[in-house]
Amino acid sequence: MKERVTLINIEIPNYSEMLSVLEIHKVKSESGFYFMKDSSEKIVYIGESFNLRKRLNKHMTGTSKTTKRFGHVFNSIDVFYCGMKERKIYEIYAINLYDPIGNVDGNESASKEELIKRREEWIKISGGSAIPVDLK
């Protein structure tokens, strides 16, 4: 039997800032990635942006099509400032490491259909506005 070899070993850096969602105005307009957490401190969504303040404001004002139906569960944010190249690598790696329920794209833990179904069930339970999803 072959020994399993780790080809990639990425260490997620310590966060630059840990903030309440009410403190988004403190986030710099810089490149990086972020973890959105619920009231139990569970990571429910991971994202990246060239301009973190602008992107996080979209999540919190309900203008992000990705999170508008479950943004109400966001309680705190871990912000990581980094360069443009690193942010995408960290985002994809973190999505697959932590498997946040709000992320479908980039998540390789299950099929896209299964991830959508899981997210829709969670949105319904969490009081968000779920939409009918045809998984066929």
Side-chain angles (χ1 to χ4, degrees):
M1 178 180 274
K2 282 188 170 182
E3 186 177 324
R4 189 171 183 183
V5 177
T6 302
L7 298 176
I8 298 175
N9 185 15
I10 298 173
E11 188 173 323
I12 302 289
N14 291 330
Y15 56 81
S16 303
E17 297 178 310
M18 185 173 78
L19 305 165
S20 155
V21 294
L22 301 175
E23 299 176 297
I24 285 181
H25 62 279
K26 294 180 180 180
V27 176
K28 298 173 189 171
S29 297
E30 293 181 12
S31 175
F33 66 104
Y34 53 91
F35 297 169
M36 303 293 277
K37 296 180 176 181
D38 64 14
S39 58
S40 68
E41 292 298 307
K42 181 176 181 174
I43 300 170
V44 294
Y45 185 79
I46 295 172
E48 59 85 18
S49 180
F50 176 75
N51 183 328
L52 287 168
R53 181 186 295 164
K54 185 176 178 180
R55 182 67 178 133
L56 291 169
N57 274 317
K58 283 185 174 191
H59 287 306
M60 297 317 301
T61 59
T63 56
S64 166
K65 66 180 182 177
T66 307
T67 62
K68 68 181 175 183
R69 295 180 302 113
F70 60 89
H72 64 282
V73 303
F74 298 151
N75 187 63
S76 65
I77 310 157
D78 291 351
V79 178
F80 305 79
Y81 298 109
C82 62
M84 292 187 295
K85 292 177 185 175
E86 295 88 354
R87 76 174 196 248
K88 291 188 178 289
I89 293 168
Y90 283 132
E91 179 201 28
I92 293 296
Y93 183 76
I95 287 170
N96 287 283
L97 180 65
Y98 296 112
D99 190 23
I101 198 153
N103 288 93
V104 171
D105 291 338
N107 191 335
E108 301 296 329
S109 68
S111 72
K112 187 168 187 166
E113 292 79 17
E114 290 172 295
L115 293 168
I116 290 169
K117 182 179 179 185
R118 179 182 79 159
R119 182 179 65 189
E120 292 303 317
E121 289 170 355
W122 171 72
I123 289 171
K124 188 185 288 184
I125 291 168
S126 68
S129 55
I131 57 171
V133 177
D134 182 9
L135 299 176
K136 294 180 182 178

